[in-house]
Amino acid sequence: MRVLGVSAFDMDASVALVVDGEVAAAAAEERFTRQAHDPNLPRFAAEWALAHAGLRASQLDAVAFADDPGATFSRVLLASLHEGFPFGASSFAGALKPWLASRLWIRDGLSRLLDVHPDLVRCVPRARALAANAAIAAQVAAGSAGAPAVAVLVVDSAGAWPCTTLGRASFDDGRLVVEELESFAYPHSLGLLLTSFAVHAGFRARDEEADFLALAPFGDPLLAERVRRMLRAQPDGTYCLDPWYFRFSRLDARADAVPWTPAFVDLCGPPRDSRRSWPFEPAGRGGPVAPEDKRFADLAASLRLVLDAALAGLARRARLLAGADLLALGGGVFADPARVAALAHADSRPLAVPPDPGPGGAALGAAALCAGETGVPVRLCGAAVGRAWEAQRDLDALELVDPRYWQRFRRRGASPVGGLALRQQPVSPAVVAAALSGGAAVGWLLGRFGVEITP
């Protein structure tokens, strides 16, 4: 059976091609368009995946889309109306425009894009797709012996109504079975909670949440009690958010919207200008830090403390409900390796994390669920399932790139970067170590690329 999984519209649009149980190819659209977190329908990634496997779209048995457009639209519609007229009029109009234009008609859109019959397009709820993607990683982690059952924890922003899902995955004669045991519905979203704090600190929504939490080492969790008023985690692992502080529906209308209420500002202070640079430097290199900048570092430290405790409680609850020690993680929150590391330190029991636990990895989960209907086990042998790096072609292209053009990709308000130059030199671990110790940023690409790797 040949199934093409597709994820799109939120961020990290991706495809995954499963042929007779083998993951033949998987890649994110951003690898072809060079647009970070490209959310558009993955046209170029799909073309490459089919060509790499030597297939035509007409040879596909199914196309699995990792979302249920009807359920997600109902959530967006009701959340937009919840603000009340006229306060929510702009959010209502902005949120509904992309849905009425294309997203509701995803079957027709994929049919036109791939030139396949609309009946071949199936929609898989996003939470189930993310859970299946995590379960496949757990199967790999368990080795050849496999695991009779796997606990699954999906912590996401929002697709349809479920934002956090606790489940159990099993492999019955190779067929992947995902069972939802408990869920926490919108607006109780830990992913959107993190996004709100990141936007409040001047970071981009659905892009730089991990950058916000990276401020935590420069601050102190002095505001933890204030964060606990918003995120109320219980000893049994359950939690809830206080909706008095948030207006998540605004993020459905515009990524740069203000997803908080005046009560949030009263508690955490005014938001930060996104055009200002951050003064924090490694220990021993930086000077004094302004109290206003220190406040956001304290907020990051406080949120990290409260969020990690809530995630640890959810992990314990997921293992208890599923009756399994091996825990598979999915959802955009776990795309940050630091959140996975915090869970690993909180509990010594084994964890399994897919190469891309976020929205991009949902494409593989959706394809696996459709392929599993035939009873053929889906096998993932590694994360390097993307296009191979063609060294000579890319090196030839670099010679035509003028570093001055890089300035157009600077974030608005950021200072120009001087002294940019391209230099080719032999690469070895010693060269990379020397560059890192000197404060340089290093990107090392070797062999086939794939989805983002989570250590």
Side-chain angles (χ1 to χ4, degrees):
M1 188 174 185
R2 306 178 183 95
V3 181
L4 181 70
V6 178
S7 68
F9 299 141
D10 185 4
M11 59 181 289
D12 293 333
S14 302
V15 301
L17 179 63
V18 176
V19 179
D20 296 330
E22 296 285 346
V23 181
E29 184 74 353
E30 68 173 16
R31 307 292 174 145
F32 301 88
T33 63
R34 300 297 191 264
Q35 176 185 337
H37 303 303
D38 191 339
N40 298 300
L41 277 177
R43 169 188 173 187
F44 300 105
E47 289 178 355
W48 168 82
L50 292 169
H52 177 76
L55 297 176
R56 298 185 303 276
S58 59
Q59 296 175 283
L60 293 173
D61 297 300
V63 177
F65 183 68
D67 198 5
D68 182 347
T72 303
F73 177 70
S74 69
R75 192 265 303 166
V76 172
L77 176 63
L78 292 176
S80 299
L81 291 173
H82 181 68
E83 285 195 55
F85 187 84
F87 306 105
S90 59
S91 296
F92 178 81
L96 263 60
K97 182 177 180 181
W99 281 96
L100 297 178
S102 59
R103 295 187 185 183
L104 265 179
W105 331 115
I106 187 61
R107 281 192 170 90
D108 292 335
L110 287 174
S111 174
R112 290 192 299 270
L113 178 69
L114 300 171
D115 194 19
V116 299
H117 196 281
D119 289 346
L120 293 181
V121 181
R122 307 178 189 178
C123 293
V124 178
R126 174 163 152 164
R128 282 182 57 80
L130 290 169
N133 181 45
I136 293 172
Q139 187 184 36
V140 175
S144 57
V150 176
V152 177
L153 173 60
V154 174
V155 183
D156 199 24
S157 53
W161 290 102
C163 298
T164 298
T165 302
L166 287 66
R168 184 177 186 270
S170 58
F171 302 91
D172 184 9
D173 294 330
R175 180 182 177 183
L176 174 60
V177 178
V178 177
E179 178 186 2
E180 180 184 308
L181 302 176
E182 189 176 47
S183 67
F184 298 82
Y186 181 91
H188 301 286
S189 169
L190 296 180
L192 293 179
L193 168 76
L194 178 54
T195 296
S196 298
F197 274 90
V199 174
H200 180 257
F203 293 96
R204 287 192 291 262
R206 297 188 176 97
D207 186 1
E208 297 178 334
E209 286 85 351
D211 295 343
F212 168 67
L213 288 181
L215 297 175
F218 301 99
D220 302 295
L222 305 176
L223 306 174
E225 286 305 317
R226 299 187 186 185
V227 176
R228 290 190 181 100
R229 295 187 199 176
M230 307 177 198
L231 170 55
R232 300 170 183 172
Q234 305 300 322
D236 63 356
T238 60
Y239 75 92
C240 68
L241 298 186
D242 189 337
W244 178 251
Y245 297 99
F246 303 103
R247 289 291 182 268
F248 294 145
S249 59
R250 297 172 184 173
L251 290 173
D252 292 315
R254 297 195 343 260
D256 61 344
V258 175
W260 57 77
T261 67
F264 182 98
V265 176
D266 292 341
L267 206 60
C268 299
R272 191 176 190 273
D273 187 346
S274 62
R275 295 169 294 181
R276 290 181 52 210
S277 60
W278 289 98
F280 301 109
E281 296 288 345
R285 297 186 186 177
V289 176
E292 184 67 5
D293 295 320
K294 180 63 164 54
R295 173 169 65 89
F296 286 98
D298 291 343
L299 271 176
S302 302
L303 178 62
R304 185 180 69 173
L305 177 68
V306 177
L307 178 61
D308 287 348
L311 293 175
L314 285 168
R316 291 191 300 270
R317 187 172 182 83
R319 286 186 168 111
L320 178 64
L321 293 177
D325 280 342
L326 178 57
L327 177 64
L329 304 177
V333 171
F334 295 119
D336 180 4
R339 306 284 67 73
V340 179
L343 269 187
H345 283 106
D347 194 325
S348 60
R349 286 178 288 182
L351 296 173
V353 189
D356 182 357
L364 176 56
L369 287 173
C370 284
E373 294 176 357
T374 63
V376 177
V378 175
R379 295 175 293 276
L380 176 64
C381 299
V385 288
R387 187 182 66 182
W389 178 50
E390 300 177 25
Q392 193 55 51
R393 182 197 64 184
D394 290 344
L395 290 176
D396 291 343
L398 285 177
E399 295 179 356
L400 305 177
V401 176
D402 188 331
R404 290 176 297 176
Y405 297 147
W406 297 352
Q407 304 297 342
R408 72 179 62 178
F409 298 104
R410 287 185 296 113
R411 185 174 177 182
R412 184 181 64 182
S415 301
V417 180
L420 292 175
L422 293 174
R423 183 173 68 254
Q424 299 181 26
Q425 65 184 71
V427 179
S428 68
V431 170
V432 173
L436 290 174
S437 64
V442 176
W444 190 346
L445 180 63
L446 180 65
R448 293 178 68 180
F449 65 69
V451 291
E452 290 190 25
I453 307 301
T454 300

